[in-house]
Amino acid sequence: MKSKLVLRATILALASVIAASHAAKSAPRDYEFQLVANEIKEGKGAVVAVKLVDKRTGSPVENAVVFTTRMDMAPDGMEAMTSPVEALPSEESGIYRFKTDLTMAGGWRFSIAAKVQGESETVESRLEFKAVQ
């Protein structure tokens, strides 16, 4: 009887250690880029803002290193129609802003990849929004 209690306690302790080690590790799926606005006025110098969120806590993530961006009209079947993207200074915690030319109204896709401080893997997102007149 005593050996069963010791065995159960050992298994419970081991399970707790395994659960804690999994909880301590994060992965790219624990982070998410979100559009600040789903509709953006078309034109030269349009600003697209995205928020990087830690989905486990809901808190914004600062100081991520954005190294890849692409703006195209893939949602409207025109993936080859691209626009250059330029990073702008952040005005708010966890908000990343980019200047681009939305040359026409319609569906646009903003692809972004970043490294979060302390994480080994890349966080990637493809966000779709509408450019409106």
Side-chain angles (χ1 to χ4, degrees):
M1 176 99 163
K2 194 173 189 180
S3 64
K4 284 185 178 181
L5 285 175
V6 171
L7 180 60
R8 284 183 185 166
T10 303
I11 291 172
L12 183 59
L14 182 58
S16 296
V17 169
I18 291 171
S21 70
H22 284 296
K25 286 185 175 184
S26 58
R29 69 181 174 276
D30 294 328
Y31 301 95
E32 175 181 62
F33 279 104
Q34 302 169 346
L35 287 165
V36 172
N38 290 322
E39 290 187 349
I40 300 168
K41 187 165 174 51
E42 73 169 303
K44 188 174 177 109
V47 175
V48 176
V50 296
K51 183 178 193 177
L52 181 56
V53 176
D54 183 331
K55 294 191 301 187
R56 299 165 297 172
T57 63
S59 60
V61 178
E62 297 180 333
N63 302 320
V65 178
V66 176
F67 62 89
T68 302
T69 57
R70 176 183 164 90
M71 188 71 65
D72 62 52
M73 287 196 77
D76 282 356
M78 297 182 278
E79 188 170 359
M81 185 166 191
T82 63
S83 183
V85 178
E86 176 187 337
L88 295 173
S90 178
E91 295 178 345
E92 192 178 334
S93 174
I95 302 290
Y96 299 83
R97 300 172 9 160
F98 303 89
K99 183 170 76 170
T100 190
D101 296 334
L102 300 176
T103 54
M104 64 188 301
W108 286 82
R109 177 177 65 189
F110 182 47
S111 301
I112 184 169
K115 287 287 191 180
V116 173
Q117 301 292 330
E119 300 298 332
S120 60
E121 296 184 49
T122 300
V123 177
E124 298 179 78
S125 290
R126 290 182 172 188
L127 307 168
E128 294 184 7
F129 64 92
K130 291 279 185 197
V132 295
Q133 294 181 337

